[in-house]
Amino acid sequence: ITVIGGYMLLTQSQRKRNTSKNSSENSKRRMSFTSASMAMGAFPPERNVAEPIINAALLFDANNCPAAADLLPLVDTVLQYDRCAGIPVGTVGKNDWVMNTCESLDPKRLIRTVEISCDE
């Protein structure tokens, strides 16, 4: 099994969401400069550069590919991290960017299956 991106995604997002009932909006961690630049757009509007999209890909051998339902625990684990389960909110040009948790994420809709075949 070859896993690309999943490990990197988890190691780059080491801060789990604070799910306690006592957590306040003011206790949220600010986004890094790089994350905020991606959220607000690093290029001037006149450059017409597409907004970045971050994806993770898990590649499996065709003979040992898990069912989508078997991947749901992995998706649930990834969604425990702010950067993976939130929507960036802040002021363009300011250092006030935070991640607002998106509570309506359906883990089943975050799994895509693609079959690829080649001669190599």
Side-chain angles (χ1 to χ4, degrees):
I1 297 175
T2 304
V3 178
I4 299 176
Y7 175 76
M8 219 169 98
L9 188 63
L10 289 176
T11 57
Q12 297 297 319
S13 308
Q14 291 296 314
R15 189 157 182 112
K16 285 189 178 182
R17 288 189 287 163
N18 186 350
T19 56
S20 73
K21 293 180 182 177
N22 295 330
S23 68
S24 68
E25 292 296 313
N26 295 331
S27 67
K28 288 187 177 186
R29 186 177 119 189
R30 282 188 315 195
M31 292 173 65
S32 69
F33 172 79
T34 305
S35 295
S37 293
M38 288 183 67
M40 69 179 167
F43 296 97
E46 60 270 11
R47 294 293 161 223
N48 200 23
V49 176
E51 294 183 20
I53 298 173
I54 300 173
N55 292 298
L58 304 177
L59 306 176
F60 299 97
D61 184 329
N63 299 323
N64 195 20
C65 188
D70 296 334
L71 297 174
L72 286 175
L74 175 63
V75 174
D76 288 333
T77 299
V78 170
L79 291 178
Q80 291 178 15
Y81 295 86
D82 288 329
R83 301 291 193 270
C84 302
I87 299 168
V89 177
T91 309
V92 174
K94 302 260 182 181
N95 190 18
D96 63 352
W97 288 81
V98 294
M99 297 298 286
N100 282 350
T101 302
C102 182
E103 300 294 340
S104 63
L105 288 175
D106 179 5
K108 293 177 195 161
R109 296 192 60 192
L110 298 177
I111 297 173
R112 305 285 189 276
T113 303
V114 178
E115 290 185 31
I116 301 171
S117 109
C118 66
D119 295 333
E120 294 183 24

